[in-house]
Amino acid sequence: MSANLYQDHLTTRKNQEAQAVQLLVELNTLANKGVNVLFFGNRIALNLVDIIAHHDKNALNIADTLAFATALNDQNLSHTTVDLGQALKAGKQADSFTSGDEVPATDVVLYGFGRIGRILARLLMSRPASDKGLQLKAIVVRPAGEADALLKDLEKRASLLERDSVHGWFDGSVVVDKANSGIIANGRFIKVIYASDPSEIDYTSYGIDNALIIDNTGKWKDEAGLGKHLQSKGAKKVLLTAPASGDIKNIVYNVNDDTIGSDTIVSAASCTTNAITPTLKLLNDKYGIENGHMETIHAFTNDQNLVDNHHKAERRGRAATLNMVMTSTGAAKAVSKAIPELKGKLSGSSVRVPTPNVSLAILNLNFKNPVNSSDELNAFIKEASQSEQWQAQIAYSDSDEAVSTDFVGCEKVAIWDAKSTLAQDNRAVMYLWYDNEMGYSTQVLRVAETMAKNA
């Protein structure tokens, strides 16, 4: 290796870092104006390594992005979304973007603070500080007892947010505010409310009003149960992070979120439904789905037992970390709530496996129109995954070495495994990876933002 080659790469990196520092300033200014900045559908973390990695991956020059972001700030844009990657790729000019309507600040309450609740909190706290959009004001958990027990519980809640065995350390600071019974995460105060039932809570007494309640407990799934939240003073809308029953809409963002309207109770469906529905819509629109079967190889969940013990559901009582557990899933059936023309065409089943996160959906489908080959199908999905419409939901992987842990933390709702695609004539078998925690939670927040805008 020549000394010049090493020095050339080092000099390039130094220049990238210097430009990235300037870009950070421009991006932060845009964020403060309410401009939602994306890079090929991804939110850009405000750190040097992430910015440089995004540019290297997409073979773009940071200097070009810096010039474009500076020009956007000169336009004095506000309350809009700009995908810098797509804009540069398409050769757009900064003056082609216009400001949008002001996004109202919406108080958000996480009712429950389990796996999904904490991931939602992490995602919200990873955004630049802003008094616009979704504002996480409180979490609601079960009563913990007397004063000493409450303090200990508060510390444990903060610790679980800060440390995660799957997703690692929280990206930022988490501080316990003992005096005010809350948690300060990245400079945002989150009140911890202890209650056994929504009817006990007066949110307005905590300075919270017209709030969107995100119920991630799974305790209530029908209108009668979820309606309890709307009886709380200061609550306005409810979003369930599980499939709902009855007439409550099950929403998969970018597929049927246009049907939310003024509904006060909405479901964000399940992680598996969100993982397969966008791809199923693409496939149905292109080839027409006659029928098929969906199998999910799913990470174990808190609903299962750690060791063999009694469980009301069949097989789920057996040790989750030792067994592959066959069980049921309503994901295939739930797809029809988002894509009505697929009603009755899909069956589904599930196998829970001894991994804590990242699952795999296998689609075995028969089409009306011929697919011809795996290469044709892969090319179609790859193009869709790079489009502005689908880039935020669908990722594309063609690696021979891809395994489940590669996708921990992926905010895309599904990752198409091109190396596993099997297609011939009118039939195909396709594999979709998905982080059933992070990818799903990202979709939940998109539905929440839509509900807030429809207030």
Side-chain angles (χ1 to χ4, degrees), residues 9-36:
H9 283 285
L10 185 61
T11 300
T12 298
R13 180 68 182 197
K14 286 181 177 179
N15 289 336
Q16 284 182 313
E17 290 181 355
Q19 292 166 347
V21 169
Q22 298 176 62
L23 181 56
L24 277 173
V25 175
E26 299 295 337
L27 293 176
N28 189 65
T29 302
L30 288 168
N32 287 332
K33 294 177 180 178
V35 178
N36 180 30

Side-chain angles (χ1 to χ4, degrees), residues 410-413 435-444 446:
C410 181
E411 295 184 12
K412 302 298 177 72
V413 73
D435 183 322
N436 44 278
E437 296 179 336
M438 188 66 72
Y440 174 65
S441 295
T442 303
Q443 285 283 87
V444 170
R446 292 176 178 133

Side-chain angles (χ1 to χ4, degrees), residues 132-428:
K132 303 292 190 297
L134 301 180
Q135 306 288 313
L136 178 56
K137 294 291 187 70
I139 62 173
V140 180
V141 294
R142 289 172 291 188
E146 301 302 322
D148 290 345
L150 284 173
L151 177 57
K152 190 66 176 176
D153 183 84
L154 189 62
E155 292 173 343
K156 282 184 175 291
R157 302 285 179 185
S159 180
L160 284 169
L161 176 61
E162 186 175 32
R163 300 169 172 85
D164 193 278
S165 299
V166 173
H167 299 284
W169 281 85
F170 177 77
D171 189 14
S173 62
V174 177
V175 179
V176 175
D177 186 339
K178 300 176 183 178
N180 296 295
S181 185
I183 298 170
I184 303 171
N186 285 354
R188 271 68 67 95
F189 176 77
I190 307 167
K191 177 68 178 178
V192 180
I193 301 171
Y194 294 92
S196 299
D197 191 86
S199 61
E200 301 176 10
I201 307 170
D202 176 1
Y203 291 111
T204 61
S205 66
Y206 304 106
I208 300 169
D209 203 8
N210 294 320
L212 171 60
I213 313 299
I214 302 180
D215 186 323
N216 55 94
T217 65
K219 184 176 181 180
W220 303 286
K221 296 182 180 181
D222 59 14
E223 195 163 356
L226 294 169
K228 292 182 178 182
H229 290 294
L230 298 178
Q231 298 171 14
S232 303
K233 192 173 181 181
K236 185 176 182 180
K237 293 188 176 184
V238 182
L239 175 58
L240 172 65
T241 63
S245 59
D247 295 328
I248 297 174
K249 293 173 184 173
N250 282 261
I251 301 297
V252 175
Y253 186 83
N254 208 27
V255 176
N256 68 329
D257 54 290
D258 59 336
T259 68
I260 294 175
S262 59
D263 286 18
T264 55
I265 303 177
V266 168
S267 161
S270 71
C271 58
T272 303
T273 303
N274 274 269
I276 63 177
T277 301
T279 301
L280 284 170
K281 176 172 175 53
L282 276 168
L283 295 171
N284 188 57
D285 289 348
K286 173 73 172 178
Y287 297 105
I289 297 173
E290 288 276 18
N291 52 57
H293 179 78
M294 184 282 302
E295 182 88 30
T296 174
I297 311 302
H298 201 289
F300 62 75
T301 70
N302 193 49
D303 174 65
Q304 295 172 256
N305 289 336
L306 190 62
V307 297
D308 287 1
N309 208 342
H310 179 271
H311 195 293
K312 64 180 181 180
E314 297 176 353
R315 309 196 202 212
R316 292 197 189 187
R318 303 300 298 277
T321 58
L322 295 175
N323 294 292
M324 293 190 293
V325 180
M326 297 180 69
T327 186
S328 61
T329 176
K333 183 179 179 181
V335 168
S336 65
K337 285 198 171 186
I339 311 175
E341 54 265 40
L342 294 184
K343 184 175 182 179
K345 293 185 177 182
L346 299 175
S347 58
S349 54
S350 175
V351 180
R352 298 285 181 90
V353 294
T355 56
N357 186 40
V358 179
S359 300
L360 178 66
I362 306 170
L363 302 177
N364 192 332
L365 304 177
N366 296 308
F367 298 113
K368 296 176 183 177
N369 303 314
V371 179
N372 297 318
S373 70
S374 299
D375 288 343
E376 176 190 314
L377 190 52
N378 283 337
F380 169 64
I381 295 297
K382 183 176 183 179
E383 182 179 5
S385 72
Q386 295 173 343
S387 69
E388 285 196 67
Q389 182 180 0
W390 295 107
Q391 63 183 2
Q393 273 81 37
I394 301 172
Y396 183 89
S397 170
D398 61 358
S399 171
D400 287 316
E401 301 295 333
V403 294
S404 61
T405 55
D406 294 340
F407 307 113
V408 172
C410 181
E411 295 184 12
K412 302 298 177 72
V413 73
I415 304 96
W416 178 274
D417 193 305
K419 294 298 185 182
S420 301
T421 304
L422 300 170
Q424 186 177 9
D425 300 327
N426 292 67
R427 184 185 176 193

Side-chain angles (χ1 to χ4, degrees), residues 98-121:
T98 58
S99 297
D101 296 330
E102 183 172 353
V103 180
T106 301
D107 290 349
V108 172
V109 174
L110 295 176
Y111 199 95
F113 205 52
R115 294 302 302 162
I116 298 301
R118 293 195 296 274
I119 297 299
L120 290 172

Side-chain angles (χ1 to χ4, degrees), residues 23 27 36-42 44 54-55 58-61 64-66 68-69 72 81-92 97 386-388 391:
L23 181 56
L27 293 176
N36 180 30
V37 179
L38 304 176
F39 204 83
F40 293 110
N42 298 299
I44 304 177
H54 273 302
H55 284 78
N58 292 283
L60 289 174
N61 193 314
D64 293 337
T65 308
L66 173 60
F68 195 88
L72 286 174
T81 296
V82 177
D83 191 310
L84 291 178
Q86 289 286 358
L88 290 167
K89 179 181 175 182
K92 292 182 180 179
F97 293 91
Q386 295 173 343
S387 69
E388 285 196 67
Q391 63 183 2

